[in-house]
Amino acid sequence: RALQLDGILVLGVPVSIKRPNDAVSPMGMIGGVAVGLQGMAMPGQGPMLALPAVQVTATSPVICINEVLKVDDKTTSDDYTDVSEDMREGCGAHGKVLGVLIIRPEHAQGRPGLKPGDVYIWCATTDDATKIMRAMGHRKYDGRQINMTSFEESKFNTELKPLM
C-alpha cells in the first residue's frame, strides 16, 4: 500500500517510495534526490527520465569505420592484416561479411575522400550490416571508440571494390 504514495507532493516536492531492492542507494530518496542532498532539489521536479537508446539502421550493405588503424611511418603490412582479420572475425560473428578493405596510404593518394586506416566492411545484405552496426557500434578497438556508418554501395562498387 505504501507504494501508492509514490509521487505524492509534500511541500511541493514529489516523494519517491520504492521497494528496498528498487532503491538507487541505501539512502532514501525525496524528489529523485538522495536524502542529504535536498538542498539541491528543485521544487516540483521529479526524477530524470531516461530516453530509450536509438537503434542504428544501416542504409547499405557497406559499413565504413573511420580511422581504425592509426597509420604512421612505423605501420607494417602485418598491422593491416591483423586489423583486417580482427574486423572479419568480430563483425562476422554478427552478420555475413563478404570482404574487408583497409585503406593504405597508396590507396588514398589521388583519392581525396579516402583516409589511411579507414576500414570498409562489405556485408551480404543491408540487414547483415544493421546487425553488425548494432552489435559492434558501441565497442572500442585499440582503446579508441569506433564510429560505424553506412557507405553508399554504388560508390563502394566503383571506387573501393577494385582495391580489394
Side-chain angles (χ1 to χ4, degrees), residues 2-14:
L3 290 174
Q4 293 174 341
L5 298 173
D6 188 31
I8 190 171
L9 290 178
V10 176
L11 298 174
V13 177

Side-chain angles (χ1 to χ4, degrees), residues 71 80 101-118 120 159-160 163:
V71 178
Y80 292 99
L101 171 66
I102 183 163
I103 303 300
R104 296 172 182 249
E106 58 268 20
H107 295 150
Q109 290 176 350
R111 295 182 177 98
L114 299 182
K115 292 183 297 204
D118 286 358
Y120 293 86
E159 297 177 20
L160 300 176
L163 301 175

Side-chain angles (χ1 to χ4, degrees), residues 10-37:
V10 176
L11 298 174
V13 177
V15 175
S16 178
I17 299 175
K18 305 284 183 209
R19 292 183 187 95
N21 56 347
D22 292 342
V24 174
S25 71
M27 295 192 288
M29 300 281 282
I30 296 177
V33 177
V35 174
L37 301 176

Side-chain angles (χ1 to χ4, degrees), residues 80-108:
Y80 292 99
T81 303
D82 290 345
V83 169
S84 183
E85 288 173 0
D86 289 347
M87 292 294 131
R88 185 178 293 278
E89 285 177 23
C91 295
H94 304 285
K96 186 171 182 181
V97 174
L98 301 177
V100 175
L101 171 66
I102 183 163
I103 303 300
R104 296 172 182 249
E106 58 268 20
H107 295 150

Side-chain angles (χ1 to χ4, degrees), residues 48-64:
M48 299 286 288
L49 299 175
L51 296 174
V54 176
Q55 287 287 353
V56 177
T57 303
T59 56
S60 87
V62 181
I63 300 169
C64 174

